[in-house]
Amino acid sequence: MRRPVRRAAVLPVGAGLGVAAALLLIGTVTDGSASGPPTTSAPTSATSAAARTVAVASASGATVAAPQARPSAPALTGTDLDGNPISLAAFRGEVVVLNVWGSWCAPCRAEARDLALLSDEVRGAGIRFLGINTRDRDRDAARSFVRAHGLHFPSLHDPTGALLLRFPPEVLNPQTIPSTLVVDREGRVAVAIGGAVTAGRLKPLIDRVAAEG
């Protein structure tokens, strides 16, 4: 049977107490790479608890969680990179791809072109992209990143990472940049990815959530 794999995060020197508290709460996830037939034994209390939440995984191991296992996304409200008000709630009823990025982040640059093309491709299908720009205190640096990579979707400006701490750390590790979440039409997190992602990995996951109606 598959064994739970502990994911650890290294807390950088000088990190705030809020981030430290969040990281201490990171739980266990199941490594989906093992092969073999599924077990038919009765679920234990540990597996039942795991089934109630979404756990972050790499792009290659990410899956769409069952509806009953999806936590509600927190309220995300703020301003975009031009200072205009924006919120996640404004997209309720659509599938939302939340991408956490920073202009200083090399993996963010690596995935940006794929995200730009994919966001344009799926926009007319009731699917929207929303960025969370983090740790960029200078909005000019973030706007330059957007222009350079042709990102046509808006981004919440989150220079201190405060919005990231609103998520359960097993869903979004505030130290993992980039990260991508897929939020279903009812505002629940259906997919949680830590690290860079490609369009080829992300689109089938988005399509599955969008197909739920």
Side-chain angles (χ1 to χ4, degrees), residues 75-103:
L76 299 177
T77 302
T79 58
D80 65 16
L81 298 179
D82 293 318
N84 302 310
I86 190 172
S87 69
L88 176 60
F91 301 101
R92 180 62 64 90
E94 298 181 281
V95 174
V96 179
V97 181
L98 275 175
N99 178 251
V100 183
W101 63 276
S103 67

Short mmCIF file of all heavy atoms in Angstrom, two decimals, residues 75-103:
data_model
loop_
_atom_site.label_atom_id
_atom_site.label_comp_id
_atom_site.label_asym_id
_atom_site.label_seq_id
_atom_site.Cartn_x
_atom_site.Cartn_y
_atom_site.Cartn_z
N ALA A 75 -11.46 34.42 0.98
CA ALA A 75 -11.77 35.70 0.33
C ALA A 75 -10.47 36.39 -0.06
O ALA A 75 -9.57 36.55 0.77
CB ALA A 75 -12.59 36.58 1.26
N LEU A 76 -10.35 36.75 -1.32
CA LEU A 76 -9.17 37.46 -1.81
C LEU A 76 -9.62 38.78 -2.40
O LEU A 76 -10.30 38.80 -3.44
CB LEU A 76 -8.45 36.62 -2.88
CG LEU A 76 -7.91 35.25 -2.45
CD1 LEU A 76 -7.29 34.54 -3.63
CD2 LEU A 76 -6.91 35.39 -1.31
N THR A 77 -9.28 39.85 -1.76
CA THR A 77 -9.70 41.18 -2.20
C THR A 77 -8.52 42.12 -2.10
O THR A 77 -7.73 42.05 -1.15
CB THR A 77 -10.85 41.70 -1.31
OG1 THR A 77 -11.94 40.78 -1.37
CG2 THR A 77 -11.33 43.06 -1.79
N GLY A 78 -8.38 42.97 -3.08
CA GLY A 78 -7.29 43.94 -3.05
C GLY A 78 -7.31 44.79 -4.29
O GLY A 78 -8.38 45.09 -4.82
N THR A 79 -6.13 45.15 -4.76
CA THR A 79 -6.01 45.94 -5.97
C THR A 79 -5.10 45.23 -6.96
O THR A 79 -4.24 44.43 -6.58
CB THR A 79 -5.45 47.35 -5.68
OG1 THR A 79 -4.16 47.22 -5.05
CG2 THR A 79 -6.39 48.13 -4.78
N ASP A 80 -5.30 45.53 -8.24
CA ASP A 80 -4.44 44.93 -9.26
C ASP A 80 -3.17 45.76 -9.42
O ASP A 80 -2.90 46.68 -8.63
CB ASP A 80 -5.20 44.76 -10.58
CG ASP A 80 -5.60 46.08 -11.22
OD1 ASP A 80 -5.06 47.14 -10.84
OD2 ASP A 80 -6.44 46.05 -12.14
N LEU A 81 -2.38 45.43 -10.41
CA LEU A 81 -1.09 46.09 -10.57
C LEU A 81 -1.21 47.55 -10.99
O LEU A 81 -0.23 48.29 -10.92
CB LEU A 81 -0.25 45.32 -11.59
CG LEU A 81 0.09 43.88 -11.20
CD1 LEU A 81 0.90 43.22 -12.30
CD2 LEU A 81 0.81 43.82 -9.87
N ASP A 82 -2.42 47.96 -11.39
CA ASP A 82 -2.66 49.36 -11.74
C ASP A 82 -3.42 50.10 -10.64
O ASP A 82 -3.83 51.25 -10.82
CB ASP A 82 -3.44 49.45 -13.05
CG ASP A 82 -2.63 48.97 -14.24
OD1 ASP A 82 -1.43 49.30 -14.31
OD2 ASP A 82 -3.19 48.23 -15.07
N GLY A 83 -3.64 49.42 -9.52
CA GLY A 83 -4.32 50.05 -8.40
C GLY A 83 -5.83 49.95 -8.43
O GLY A 83 -6.51 50.55 -7.59
N ASN A 84 -6.39 49.19 -9.35
CA ASN A 84 -7.84 49.03 -9.46
C ASN A 84 -8.32 47.93 -8.53
O ASN A 84 -7.65 46.90 -8.37
CB ASN A 84 -8.24 48.69 -10.89
CG ASN A 84 -7.79 49.74 -11.88
OD1 ASN A 84 -8.03 50.93 -11.68
ND2 ASN A 84 -7.12 49.33 -12.95
N PRO A 85 -9.50 48.09 -7.91
CA PRO A 85 -10.00 47.05 -7.01
C PRO A 85 -10.33 45.77 -7.77
O PRO A 85 -10.82 45.81 -8.89
CB PRO A 85 -11.26 47.67 -6.40
CG PRO A 85 -11.67 48.74 -7.36
CD PRO A 85 -10.40 49.25 -7.99
N ILE A 86 -10.05 44.64 -7.13
CA ILE A 86 -10.30 43.34 -7.75
C ILE A 86 -10.47 42.31 -6.65
O ILE A 86 -9.90 42.44 -5.56
CB ILE A 86 -9.16 42.94 -8.70
CG1 ILE A 86 -9.52 41.71 -9.53
CG2 ILE A 86 -7.86 42.73 -7.94
CD1 ILE A 86 -8.52 41.40 -10.62
N SER A 87 -11.29 41.28 -6.92
CA SER A 87 -11.51 40.24 -5.92
C SER A 87 -11.78 38.91 -6.61
O SER A 87 -12.28 38.87 -7.75
CB SER A 87 -12.68 40.59 -5.00
OG SER A 87 -13.91 40.53 -5.71
N LEU A 88 -11.49 37.84 -5.91
CA LEU A 88 -11.79 36.50 -6.42
C LEU A 88 -13.29 36.30 -6.53
O LEU A 88 -13.77 35.63 -7.46
CB LEU A 88 -11.17 35.45 -5.51
CG LEU A 88 -11.46 33.98 -5.84
CD1 LEU A 88 -10.97 33.61 -7.23
CD2 LEU A 88 -10.83 33.06 -4.78
N ALA A 89 -14.05 36.88 -5.61
CA ALA A 89 -15.51 36.70 -5.61
C ALA A 89 -16.15 37.19 -6.90
O ALA A 89 -17.21 36.70 -7.29
CB ALA A 89 -16.12 37.43 -4.41
N ALA A 90 -15.52 38.13 -7.58
CA ALA A 90 -16.08 38.66 -8.82
C ALA A 90 -16.14 37.62 -9.92
O ALA A 90 -16.87 37.77 -10.89
CB ALA A 90 -15.26 39.86 -9.29
N PHE A 91 -15.38 36.51 -9.77
CA PHE A 91 -15.34 35.47 -10.78
C PHE A 91 -16.19 34.25 -10.39
O PHE A 91 -16.10 33.22 -11.07
CB PHE A 91 -13.90 35.02 -11.02
CG PHE A 91 -12.99 36.12 -11.48
CD1 PHE A 91 -12.12 36.74 -10.61
CD2 PHE A 91 -13.02 36.55 -12.80
CE1 PHE A 91 -11.28 37.76 -11.04
CE2 PHE A 91 -12.19 37.57 -13.24
CZ PHE A 91 -11.33 38.17 -12.35
N ARG A 92 -16.98 34.35 -9.33
CA ARG A 92 -17.80 33.22 -8.90
C ARG A 92 -18.73 32.79 -10.03
O ARG A 92 -19.31 33.61 -10.72
CB ARG A 92 -18.62 33.58 -7.66
CG ARG A 92 -19.51 32.48 -7.12
CD ARG A 92 -18.72 31.26 -6.66
NE ARG A 92 -17.86 31.53 -5.54
CZ ARG A 92 -18.25 31.41 -4.26
NH1 ARG A 92 -19.47 31.01 -3.98
NH2 ARG A 92 -17.39 31.66 -3.29
N GLY A 93 -18.86 31.49 -10.22
CA GLY A 93 -19.65 30.94 -11.32
C GLY A 93 -18.79 30.54 -12.50
O GLY A 93 -19.26 29.88 -13.42
N GLU A 94 -17.50 30.95 -12.48
CA GLU A 94 -16.55 30.53 -13.49
C GLU A 94 -15.46 29.69 -12.83
O GLU A 94 -15.23 29.77 -11.62
CB GLU A 94 -15.91 31.75 -14.17
CG GLU A 94 -16.91 32.63 -14.91
CD GLU A 94 -16.23 33.80 -15.58
OE1 GLU A 94 -15.91 34.78 -14.87
OE2 GLU A 94 -16.01 33.75 -16.80
N VAL A 95 -14.79 28.88 -13.62
CA VAL A 95 -13.60 28.18 -13.14
C VAL A 95 -12.46 29.19 -13.13
O VAL A 95 -12.24 29.88 -14.13
CB VAL A 95 -13.27 26.97 -14.02
CG1 VAL A 95 -11.94 26.33 -13.60
CG2 VAL A 95 -14.40 25.94 -13.97
N VAL A 96 -11.75 29.27 -12.03
CA VAL A 96 -10.68 30.27 -11.89
C VAL A 96 -9.34 29.56 -11.68
O VAL A 96 -9.22 28.69 -10.81
CB VAL A 96 -10.94 31.23 -10.72
CG1 VAL A 96 -9.80 32.24 -10.60
CG2 VAL A 96 -12.27 31.94 -10.89
N VAL A 97 -8.37 29.93 -12.49
CA VAL A 97 -7.00 29.44 -12.32
C VAL A 97 -6.23 30.54 -11.60
O VAL A 97 -6.03 31.63 -12.14
CB VAL A 97 -6.35 29.12 -13.67
CG1 VAL A 97 -4.92 28.60 -13.45
CG2 VAL A 97 -7.18 28.09 -14.43
N LEU A 98 -5.84 30.26 -10.36
CA LEU A 98 -5.08 31.20 -9.55
C LEU A 98 -3.59 30.89 -9.69
O LEU A 98 -3.16 29.78 -9.33
CB LEU A 98 -5.48 31.09 -8.08
CG LEU A 98 -6.69 31.86 -7.58
CD1 LEU A 98 -6.96 31.48 -6.13
CD2 LEU A 98 -6.48 33.35 -7.70
N ASN A 99 -2.83 31.84 -10.16
CA ASN A 99 -1.39 31.62 -10.32
C ASN A 99 -0.62 32.61 -9.45
O ASN A 99 -0.79 33.82 -9.57
CB ASN A 99 -0.99 31.78 -11.78
CG ASN A 99 0.51 31.61 -11.99
OD1 ASN A 99 1.21 32.57 -12.28
ND2 ASN A 99 1.01 30.40 -11.84
N VAL A 100 0.22 32.09 -8.56
CA VAL A 100 1.05 32.91 -7.68
C VAL A 100 2.41 33.10 -8.34
O VAL A 100 3.08 32.11 -8.68
CB VAL A 100 1.21 32.24 -6.31
CG1 VAL A 100 2.02 33.14 -5.38
CG2 VAL A 100 -0.15 31.92 -5.68
N TRP A 101 2.84 34.34 -8.50
CA TRP A 101 4.08 34.60 -9.22
C TRP A 101 4.76 35.85 -8.68
O TRP A 101 4.17 36.64 -7.94
CB TRP A 101 3.80 34.78 -10.71
CG TRP A 101 2.92 35.96 -11.05
CD1 TRP A 101 1.54 36.00 -11.03
CD2 TRP A 101 3.35 37.28 -11.41
NE1 TRP A 101 1.09 37.25 -11.37
CE2 TRP A 101 2.17 38.06 -11.62
CE3 TRP A 101 4.59 37.88 -11.59
CZ2 TRP A 101 2.22 39.40 -11.98
CZ3 TRP A 101 4.65 39.21 -11.96
CH2 TRP A 101 3.46 39.96 -12.16
N GLY A 102 6.02 36.00 -9.05
CA GLY A 102 6.78 37.20 -8.73
C GLY A 102 7.74 37.49 -9.87
O GLY A 102 8.25 36.58 -10.53
N SER A 103 8.02 38.76 -10.10
CA SER A 103 8.91 39.13 -11.21
C SER A 103 10.34 38.67 -10.95
O SER A 103 11.13 38.52 -11.88
CB SER A 103 8.89 40.65 -11.41
OG SER A 103 9.47 41.32 -10.30
#
